[in-house]
Amino acid sequence: MAATDVSKHGMWSSQWLFVLAAAGSAVGLGNIWKFPYMAGENGGGAFVVVYLLCVALIGIPIMMSEVLLGREGRLSPINTMRSLALKAKGSPLWVIVGWMGVLAGFLILSYYSMIAGWAFHYVLRLADGTFTGADGEFASQAFESFLVQPWQMIFWHTLFMAVTIFIVARGVSRGLEVAIKIFMPTLFVLMIVLVGYSMTSGGFAEGFAFMFNFDWARLSVDGVLQAMGHAFFTLSLGMGAIMAYGAYMPGSASIAKTVVAIAVLDTLVALAAGLVIFPIVFANGLEPGQGPGLMFVTMPLAFGQMPLGTLFGTAFFVLVSFAAITSAISLLEPALAFLVERYNAQRHRVAISLGVLCWVLGLGSVFSFNYWKDFHIVRELNFFSFVDYLSANVMLPLGGFLIVLFVGWVVPRAIVEEQMSLSRGFRNIAWQLLVRVVAPVGVLVVFGYQIYGSLN
Ligand code: TRP
């Protein structure tokens, strides 16, 4: 039985560590930085509803599909797709899904590293009391003036990439596993404390209403695509990261249960981040749709006003940085595992080469906020927003769509049923319905709506 095989890259020491590692990949800047600003730009409630629907109906089936492919193939996503396509007597072209994933991971990591670098910078700014007693004006100004200094940004971007390379190079070692064990619960507790603070900030009712009042009119056609793209992004889906992690998962664990746990955890962190940020936005007369700077303006402001703000603020940005690291490593893992398999290369060499390439690409995003500010690739998208848009809103959903089609229609049913421990019965029917119809059609509907919308 293939499910009991092991991967040559190593294995998670238990089912629990798979959950932690996958949750470490899923919970990241996407939850704390990206989700609130995207919800802010897209009018709140309706965006949140579409995002939640996409997580439940599209994200969860696709995540299960990725895990089961990984665990069946036990190789890097590229070679897993290749070997399973062969086994299923399907087209060898399925391997393209693996290649596209590697590319998407690259694009995402390039700017992810820059944003994580901002978080590194803010660790220091909070620790040295820059924001103590600051007002909204000051917090916005501080962020603006940071963005126009490319050298500072490059410094932090470099540091983040170096840390990521270092960790990936060592293998998903005990060090990382231990770090995740400490960090995940701490992040959870801190988020709860911050939600508590936010409730007393005076803007809670307004912030809550903004996030949960469903007003379809405020969501643009493009906002729907963004909500779906974000569901993929936040769950780390569509590019093979979860497939790569699934390859190191013990054969005995239940895929359905672990995936649901990961998705619920990820969603709770995102909703908590929104419930922290929006009340602060409204209590201080800030703009919810201000874009990528949202977290970097609101959080320092709140910490500057609360008792023990220096302590909590520093801790907050340290945790954000950690969350980013445990995600970043999963963006590199598919490409890395592939090169190790292909050339029998040493892990650390591959990690360094890939990391440097990504770092160079990331400079484009750094310059998007200063030197290349007025340079637009298409429409109003500068280099950074273009890379983000293309990877999250196009490549991930497309990759996920192909993955779920592959599992639903190409991989022999016996293999899938064994991996999912499904016997004939209601659960099996529900599963077939989700992977064969609901998830792929869901992606097509959102893509179709976008195309229809742009023609009108
Ligand atoms: N999910 C992470 C976040 O929300 C980012 C991430 C890690 C990711 N690995 C990924 C996104 C793979 C897409 C694909 O911050």
Side-chain angles (χ1 to χ4, degrees):
M1 167 172 132
T4 54
D5 292 344
V6 292
S7 156
K8 69 182 242 185
H9 302 285
M11 295 291 286
W12 303 115
S13 41
S14 69
Q15 168 190 9
W16 170 228
L17 274 157
F18 170 75
V19 175
L20 277 184
S25 165
V27 175
L29 297 173
N31 306 63
I32 309 171
W33 158 74
K34 201 175 188 200
F35 169 72
Y37 96 72
M38 292 186 85
E41 283 184 333
N42 289 293
F47 177 90
V48 176
V49 169
V50 177
Y51 151 80
L52 291 175
L53 281 175
C54 288
V55 166
L57 297 177
I58 301 176
I60 289 181
I62 293 182
M63 192 186 269
M64 292 180 187
S65 303
E66 282 207 30
V67 177
L68 86 82
L69 289 178
R71 196 166 76 173
E72 181 65 30
R74 292 280 185 224
L75 290 166
S76 68
I78 292 177
N79 283 329
T80 287
M81 290 303 291
R82 185 187 320 237
S83 82
L84 293 182
L86 202 69
K87 211 180 204 172
K89 302 197 175 57
S91 158
L93 288 178
W94 284 104
V95 73
I96 293 173
V97 175
W99 283 107
M100 192 175 70
V102 165
L103 184 64
F106 245 72
L107 293 176
I108 294 173
L109 184 57
S110 73
Y111 73 81
Y112 204 82
S113 168
M114 168 188 75
I115 308 288
W118 296 358
F120 277 14
H121 170 80
Y122 270 77
V123 169
L124 293 190
R125 290 289 77 82
L126 276 127
D128 71 11
T130 302
F131 292 101
T132 310
D135 58 10
E137 178 70 10
F138 179 87
S140 307
Q141 287 282 315
F143 183 67
E144 297 290 318
S145 60
F146 170 61
L147 290 187
V148 296
Q149 294 168 307
W151 288 109
Q152 278 217 51
M153 281 168 73
I154 290 174
F155 173 78
W156 295 111
H157 167 54
T158 310
L159 188 66
F160 181 82
M161 202 56 98
V163 173
T164 303
I165 293 173
F166 179 76
I167 295 178
V168 177
R170 292 175 49 123
V172 186
S173 62
R174 295 191 78 87
L176 181 72
E177 292 192 347
V178 172
I180 299 177
K181 267 190 212 157
I182 303 170
F183 140 76
M184 293 293 292
T186 322
L187 179 74
F188 243 71
V189 172
L190 190 70
M191 288 306 270
I192 292 168
V193 171
L194 291 175
V195 172
Y197 168 79
S198 232
M199 285 179 150
T200 64
S201 71
F204 195 76
E206 215 180 326
F208 192 89
F210 179 77
M211 268 184 74
F212 296 110
N213 278 2
F214 183 90
D215 180 0
W216 189 254
R218 285 163 77 177
L219 186 65
S220 64
V221 171
D222 194 51
V224 175
L225 179 69
Q226 290 190 39
M228 177 175 75
H230 186 65
F232 279 90
F233 186 93
T234 190
L235 295 173
S236 303
L237 298 179
M239 55 78 57
I242 296 294
M243 206 189 292
Y245 276 17
Y248 317 145
M249 180 188 186
S252 54
S254 155
I255 292 178
K257 283 187 196 143
T258 37
V259 164
V260 170
I262 294 161
V264 167
L265 206 69
D266 185 75
T267 306
L268 287 179
V269 175
L271 294 179
L275 286 179
V276 169
I277 287 179
F278 289 116
I280 297 169
V281 167
F282 292 113
N284 292 282
L286 298 168
E287 171 53 47
Q290 63 181 274
L294 186 64
M295 175 182 93
F296 295 94
V297 174
T298 50
M299 296 315 290
L301 177 64
F303 292 124
Q305 295 169 357
M306 70 164 86
L308 297 180
T310 306
L311 181 72
F312 282 128
T314 312
F316 174 78
F317 281 101
V318 167
L319 287 170
V320 170
S321 308
F322 263 106
I325 291 170
T326 56
S327 298
I329 54 176
S330 73
L331 285 162
L332 265 191
E333 185 65 24
L336 186 108
F338 173 70
L339 291 176
V340 169
E341 284 161 10
R342 179 80 173 72
Y343 299 105
N344 226 340
Q346 282 167 312
R347 240 186 118 86
H348 71 268
R349 295 231 170 121
V350 179
I352 294 171
S353 330
L354 289 172
V356 168
L357 262 169
C358 241
W359 178 85
V360 173
L361 196 62
L363 294 180
S365 288
V366 170
F367 297 150
S368 302
F369 290 90
N370 34 73
Y371 301 145
W372 298 353
K373 207 177 167 132
D374 300 316
F375 168 66
H376 293 163
I377 295 195
V378 270
R379 304 235 188 112
E380 75 286 15
L381 301 176
N382 61 24
F383 185 90
F384 157 70
S385 14
F386 177 74
V387 170
D388 178 27
Y389 193 97
L390 178 71
S391 52
N393 299 343
V394 181
M395 296 174 84
L396 298 182
L398 186 60
F401 171 73
L402 294 172
I403 287 169
V404 83
L405 277 189
F406 186 64
V407 168
W409 297 96
V410 180
V411 177
R413 242 173 109 162
I415 293 183
V416 174
E417 284 172 358
E418 189 193 319
Q419 282 289 352
M420 296 297 298
S421 327
L422 288 171
S423 44
R424 311 268 141 185
F426 170 73
R427 294 233 223 130
N428 198 324
I429 296 172
W431 159 260
Q432 301 291 344
L433 197 68
L434 278 174
V435 288
R436 292 189 162 197
V437 184
V438 176
V441 170
V443 176
L444 286 184
V445 166
V446 176
F447 274 151
Y449 181 62
Q450 168 79 8
I451 293 168
Y452 169 82
S454 63
L455 296 178
N456 283 275

